[in-house]
Amino acid sequence: MAEAERIIGTPDTPDAAGGGSERPDSEGTPPDESGAGRPRGRRRIAVLFAVASIAYALDLISKMIVVAKLEHHPPIEIIGDWLKFEAIRNAGAAFGFGEAFTVIFTMIAAAVIVVIARLARKLYSLPWAIALGLLLGGALGNLTDRIFRAPGVFEGAVVDFIAPKHFAVFNLADSAIVCGGILIVLLSFKGLDPDGTVHKD
């Protein structure tokens, strides 16, 4: 909790913390005092939404194709029995877990989007922009299914279709969420904050 509060509570401006310390960007170069950090911050936000838009579009298009061409049809073998495309409807969380808590997972996805929107105001790090963009695109992809697909609003079943052998069936939104989460863990281990600050515990 303290780590999350430290990240989300990062000051909006380089000197807002009162210590006058400079905020380096993701390459370790601090912004100059002429306000150049602000344009860099806006560019990072643009990267976040660009990555989110691509992840969301790929997920949405893939699900439309799966529903139209694969649902109610035999699975398509991609690499023998090791990888198939098989359309299923998943009322649970990522990879089919927790089917009894569809509404709760919908609320969690919405909360993740709100948290990312808060972090976007303080975003000066390119790696964080990519990570948060993946999370945002994946969350929006599955949230769209929760809202608009049967059996009802906020209870919709997510379309999954990537079926590796001996593993749960998932979709591109799940993949984006997992990749974004892994990247965030790596950035946290490196001590890089969303505002570009590098800290050592």
Side-chain angles (χ1 to χ4, degrees), residues 129-153:
I130 295 172
L132 293 177
L134 289 170
L135 280 180
L136 180 59
L140 285 172
N142 283 340
L143 185 61
T144 299
D145 283 359
R146 302 290 187 198
I147 295 175
F148 295 107
R149 295 194 187 277
V153 177

Side-chain angles (χ1 to χ4, degrees), residues 81-107:
D81 290 337
W82 291 98
L83 178 64
K84 300 179 181 179
F85 285 168
E86 179 180 6
I88 68 167
R89 297 294 182 111
N90 171 25
F95 308 113
F97 297 117
E99 294 187 4
F101 304 99
T102 306
V103 175
I104 295 176
F105 292 133
T106 303
M107 295 173 63

Side-chain angles (χ1 to χ4, degrees), residues 64-125:
M64 291 174 62
I65 295 173
V66 166
V67 170
K69 302 295 185 180
L70 187 57
E71 200 166 37
H72 309 304
H73 289 80
I76 298 176
E77 293 187 352
I78 304 301
I79 308 177
D81 290 337
W82 291 98
L83 178 64
K84 300 179 181 179
F85 285 168
E86 179 180 6
I88 68 167
R89 297 294 182 111
N90 171 25
F95 308 113
F97 297 117
E99 294 187 4
F101 304 99
T102 306
V103 175
I104 295 176
F105 292 133
T106 303
M107 295 173 63
I108 292 173
V112 168
I113 293 171
V114 171
V115 171
I116 293 173
R118 287 193 61 190
L119 284 174
R121 296 183 297 109
K122 316 171 193 302
L123 191 60
Y124 284 77
S125 166

Side-chain angles (χ1 to χ4, degrees), residues 165-180:
K165 188 175 182 180
H166 305 310
F167 196 73
V169 184
F170 58 98
N171 57 42
L172 295 183
D174 296 331
S175 301
I177 291 170
V178 170
C179 291

